[in-house]
Amino acid sequence: MDGDMDIKSVDKKHIVGTYNRYDVAIVSGSGARCTDDCGREYIDLGSGIGVNSLGYCDKGWVAAVSKQLSTLQHTSNLYYTRPCAELAATLCERSGYAKALFCNSGAEANEAAIKTARKYSFDKYGRGRDVIVTLRNSFHGRTMATLTATGQDVFHNYFFPFNEGFEYADKDIEQIAGIEGVCAVMLEFVQGEGGVIPVEKEFVTELAQLCRERDILLIADEVQTGIGRTGKLLASQHYGVLPDITTLAKGLGAGLPIGAMLVGDRCADTLTFGTHGTTFGGNPVICAGALEVLSRLDDAALEQVRRKGEYIRSRLLSCPGVAGVDGLGMMLGIRLKDKQAAQVLKDCIGEGVLVLTAKEKIRLLPPLTIGDGDLQEGVDRLIAAIEK
Ligand SMILES: *Cc1c(COP(=O)(O)O)cnc(C)c1O
């Protein structure tokens, strides 16, 4: 292929058509800004779906990754490596968990959580107590088990048969308490793909209590909400609970693929030798980058995430086309009065700002480190698109 190839037509011809891409080919980026193949610049308020937590090509992250890349790129999980061990220790120390398991994506982290819950229950109670309860409107991934776990009917098509042992519930304690044979309840503190909908604190408190009473594992899917996105390292810290299991992915690798499952004392030793594994999990290059992410997200940085989230919220709430803003920290969903989210997104591209949608809302997941100037300009452009 020559340097002048038409990226878009080659992609359309040779990439399996599971994505409906926007008409933009991004070639480079720096901080909160990226540039397309025609030389147009955009302010990115979507961060590659909450992944580029430090923005594009952050200097400290590039240095950490590059150093590790030219030292040792992979060993397999047959051997120890320092970045992997250090990342696990740092995550546990910062979150209050006992142990970590590394994998390569959010769906895989949730698979690990499902397996942990099933085995925890099998070890203590034998077979038959295997139901994973998830909430309606949730999103947990695209593998067969996590697709089944996803509590939205639109996802439960084509790929029959779906997995057994999953039940869906509303945010209703009585309803959940009435389901038989439950080994775990899995939830997002802020439903992301479902439309940026935070769960109520009272529900979480009651759910945590129900789970404790019945020896049911509480699994927090923090694939989107985790790693500072909501203004705390974990969204559970807003709710004052430490779920038995927390899963992480998106923002942890700052652009490289990693998933993690954090387990508390109750199930820290449930998965034993030979019961789970993955070739790429705990890759030292990605772990070195993730360590840089964590070192940057100190209390002061998390405070800035909350402040910047409030700034975005207040700017948008004074905008005539906006009906409301939902979410926590810099995970925000904008309810529109008249315009369709898909149209606003297209108009945003025209204005030079990249955003996301979630259901009927515009969704924002800006880089956590976005500077005030870029943020102000990005929001200006977004408002121009909404009011267009
Ligand atoms: C994105 C997401 C997933 C899936 O993560 P992948 O890395 O795409 O497998 C799972 N749960 C939540 C809450 C997510 O936002």
Side-chain angles (χ1 to χ4, degrees):
M1 288 271 152
D2 60 60
D4 294 329
M5 80 167 199
D6 177 3
I7 302 167
K8 293 170 194 169
S9 61
V10 173
D11 183 300
K12 279 183 186 137
K13 185 164 176 217
H14 292 291
I15 297 285
V16 173
T18 57
Y19 302 107
N20 190 13
R21 301 197 203 280
Y22 300 112
D23 193 26
V24 178
I26 300 174
V27 294
S28 65
S30 175
R33 292 174 186 253
C34 61
T35 306
D36 72 12
D37 60 340
C38 306
R40 278 200 75 208
E41 195 179 70
Y42 304 85
I43 295 174
D44 187 355
L45 301 182
S47 310
I49 321 189
V51 165
N52 294 335
S53 43
L54 304 180
Y56 289 100
C57 303
D58 173 84
K59 281 203 173 64
W61 176 81
V62 168
V65 166
S66 304
K67 184 165 175 244
Q68 184 58 42
L69 187 57
S70 53
T71 306
L72 181 77
Q73 89 276 26
H74 172 83
T75 63
S76 87
N77 280 306
L78 299 173
Y79 309 99
Y80 296 97
T81 68
R82 185 189 175 94
C84 177
E86 202 177 329
L87 180 60
T90 306
L91 280 171
C92 289
E93 189 190 324
R94 295 276 302 268
S95 65
Y97 281 96
K99 289 186 178 177
L101 174 148
F102 294 120
C103 52
N104 315 289
S105 70
E108 250 189 279
N110 288 337
E111 288 274 347
I114 291 163
K115 284 179 73 173
T116 302
R118 291 257 172 89
K119 185 166 183 295
Y120 174 84
S121 195
F122 178 88
D123 288 346
K124 274 180 96 166
Y125 305 99
R127 284 195 68 169
R129 188 181 178 277
D130 50 29
V131 172
I132 312 280
V133 175
T134 60
L135 297 184
R136 296 220 160 79
N137 199 48
S138 57
F139 181 83
H140 297 298
R142 299 287 198 157
T143 61
M144 283 309 299
T146 59
L147 200 56
T148 310
T150 291
Q152 302 185 50
D153 289 340
V154 290
F155 287 100
H156 300 156
N157 204 353
Y158 316 121
F159 311 113
F160 303 102
F162 287 86
N163 294 18
E164 286 178 56
F166 289 87
E167 300 268 355
Y168 314 103
D170 299 315
K171 293 171 196 161
D172 178 336
I173 293 296
E174 300 298 310
Q175 210 183 93
I176 294 170
I179 301 171
E180 306 262 317
V182 178
C183 67
V185 178
M186 177 153 77
L187 87 164
E188 299 154 272
F189 288 107
V190 183
Q191 289 182 336
E193 306 305 311
V196 196
I197 304 168
V199 76
E200 300 76 27
K201 193 163 186 177
E202 192 189 346
F203 170 75
V204 172
T205 307
E206 289 178 16
L207 180 63
Q209 191 185 337
L210 177 79
C211 288
R212 248 192 326 274
E213 282 166 15
R214 299 201 179 172
D215 199 16
I216 290 169
L217 296 187
L218 183 61
I219 303 171
D221 177 348
E222 293 227 35
V223 168
Q224 193 161 150
T225 55
I227 310 300
R229 176 51 57 194
T230 67
K232 302 261 188 190
L233 188 69
L234 300 179
S236 55
Q237 294 163 343
H238 290 284
Y239 289 86
V241 295
L242 186 69
D244 298 291
I245 301 175
T246 285
T247 58
L248 300 168
K250 292 193 167 83
L252 177 58
L256 290 175
I258 184 171
M261 172 179 73
L262 304 179
V263 283
D265 291 326
R266 243 196 322 171
C267 54
D269 297 316
T270 297
L271 291 185
T272 48
F273 170 66
T275 58
H276 197 54
T278 162
T279 302
F280 291 117
N283 172 277
V285 176
I286 307 180
C287 288
L291 276 163
E292 172 71 13
V293 173
L294 290 177
S295 81
R296 299 276 286 280
L297 292 182
D298 57 10
D299 288 344
L302 294 171
E303 166 64 35
Q304 292 298 308
V305 172
R306 299 195 289 275
R307 180 187 63 78
K308 286 183 271 193
E310 281 314 312
Y311 167 78
I312 300 171
R313 195 187 287 267
S314 70
R315 287 281 315 272
L316 285 160
L317 283 175
S318 64
C319 174
V322 170
V325 180
D326 305 313
L328 274 177
M330 281 213 277
M331 177 172 181
L332 295 168
I334 303 160
R335 276 177 274 130
L336 300 165
K337 277 198 184 129
D338 307 310
K339 280 182 88 171
Q340 296 294 312
Q343 186 58 48
V344 169
L345 186 146
K346 284 205 180 107
D347 291 341
C348 278
I349 293 174
E351 296 289 336
V353 60
L354 302 180
V355 300
L356 305 161
T357 61
K359 296 283 165 72
E360 71 292 350
K361 295 178 192 173
I362 290 291
R363 176 171 44 148
L364 303 182
L365 301 169
L368 302 178
T369 50
I370 188 170
D372 287 343
D374 283 342
L375 184 58
Q376 186 189 328
E377 202 173 330
V379 173
D380 287 345
R381 294 180 188 181
L382 166 60
I383 289 175
I386 292 172
E387 299 306 334
K388 199 173 162 188

